[in-house]
Amino acid sequence: MTDAAPERVARVVLVDDHRMFRTGVRAEIGRTEITGIDVVGEADDVESAVQVVAEQRPDVVLLDVHLPGGGGVEVLRRSAPLMGDPSGVRFLALSVSDAAEDVIGVIRGGARGYVTKTITGTDLVNAVFRIADGDAVFSPRLAGFVLDAFAATDTPPVDEDLDRLTQREREVLRLIARGYAYKEIAKQLFISVKTVESHVSAVLRKLQLSNRHELTRWATARRLV
């Protein structure tokens, strides 16, 4: 790694159920004055990961695939509201596994890339900054899994009703469909209850629905929950 002072800093959360591995990664890349990586939090299971990511709102989460409580895919699912805008949290899977089903699972869940634990410290730092910039990063040969998986999937039909909704309206819709109260949605998305109410009203109007129960049925039918 270079000894030159970094031009920018990326805030990172480490999620892995092996404490010694987290310690090693922090020691390798967390020297902020050299690497530009500021490790702002750690977690060892799904619950603690969801909590620390919501609290810290890091630029990038280094996420292990296999975690107690449901795995990396569950962390992604529960953190989806934080990934919705250009400045949102981005996830980079960092795992010992190079199995196709693991790679495809987390990419479908919203991760921007997947690297294995054989990666060097320098390459991991570079990967973090690329992910923070919105790029996709994969260890050699893993990108092929993703390309093959999506090439084999039929292109989904355009849903004109869903396309009428903004990204934020979709986030509110998903949380409504999962049974969240307005106050809970406001806390999840870091917005006011009044703003939540405005988004719900807009969604109801655009979809020509009458209440949250109809919204839930509509979202469930489209597998948005």
Side-chain angles (χ1 to χ4, degrees), residues 76-138:
L76 290 163
R77 185 187 72 79
R78 293 175 57 182
S79 302
L82 304 180
M83 296 189 276
D85 57 68
S87 61
V89 179
R90 294 186 171 94
F91 288 78
L92 172 61
L94 176 61
S95 177
V96 69
S97 171
D98 61 0
E101 58 269 25
D102 288 335
V103 178
I104 294 165
V106 294
I107 298 304
R108 289 192 186 280
R112 294 289 305 174
Y114 194 116
V115 294
T116 60
K117 291 180 178 179
T118 58
I119 192 170
T120 66
T122 299
D123 286 345
L124 184 56
V125 169
N126 291 336
V128 167
F129 280 106
R130 287 180 60 191
I131 292 292
D133 289 336
D135 291 342
V137 179
F138 295 91

Side-chain angles (χ1 to χ4, degrees), residues 32 52 87 92 108 150 173:
T32 310
V52 73
S87 61
L92 172 61
R108 289 192 186 280
F150 283 91
L173 170 62

Side-chain angles (χ1 to χ4, degrees), residues 4-187:
E7 296 180 359
R8 55 186 289 208
V9 172
R11 300 175 69 255
V12 171
V13 163
L14 303 177
V15 180
D16 193 287
D17 60 340
H18 291 95
R19 182 177 60 83
M20 289 185 65
F21 179 76
R22 297 197 311 273
T23 300
V25 172
R26 181 187 280 270
E28 181 71 17
I29 73 171
R31 295 169 291 165
T32 310
E33 71 282 1
I34 297 174
T35 64
I37 302 295
D38 181 13
V39 179
V40 297
E42 297 183 15
D44 60 4
D45 61 15
V46 169
E47 288 296 331
S48 60
V50 171
Q51 181 177 352
V52 73
V53 170
E55 289 174 351
Q56 294 295 334
R57 299 291 293 271
D59 300 304
V60 176
V61 178
L62 291 177
L63 179 68
D64 194 10
V65 174
H66 300 292
L67 293 167
V73 171
E74 180 65 10
V75 176
L76 290 163
R77 185 187 72 79
R78 293 175 57 182
S79 302
L82 304 180
M83 296 189 276
D85 57 68
S87 61
V89 179
R90 294 186 171 94
F91 288 78
L92 172 61
L94 176 61
S95 177
V96 69
S97 171
D98 61 0
E101 58 269 25
D102 288 335
V103 178
I104 294 165
V106 294
I107 298 304
R108 289 192 186 280
R112 294 289 305 174
Y114 194 116
V115 294
T116 60
K117 291 180 178 179
T118 58
I119 192 170
T120 66
T122 299
D123 286 345
L124 184 56
V125 169
N126 291 336
V128 167
F129 280 106
R130 287 180 60 191
I131 292 292
D133 289 336
D135 291 342
V137 179
F138 295 91
S139 289
R141 92 185 183 86
L142 299 189
F145 294 155
V146 179
L147 292 173
D148 290 345
F150 283 91
T153 303
D154 292 334
T155 303
V158 174
D159 189 326
E160 294 182 358
D161 289 333
L162 187 60
D163 286 346
R164 294 190 185 100
L165 305 183
T166 66
Q167 184 63 43
R168 181 63 89 188
E169 288 168 352
R170 296 185 194 190
E171 293 168 357
V172 171
L173 170 62
R174 288 189 181 96
L175 293 175
I176 285 286
R178 291 173 186 168
Y180 283 65
Y182 285 4
K183 287 184 179 179
E184 294 172 323
I185 296 173
K187 184 177 180 180

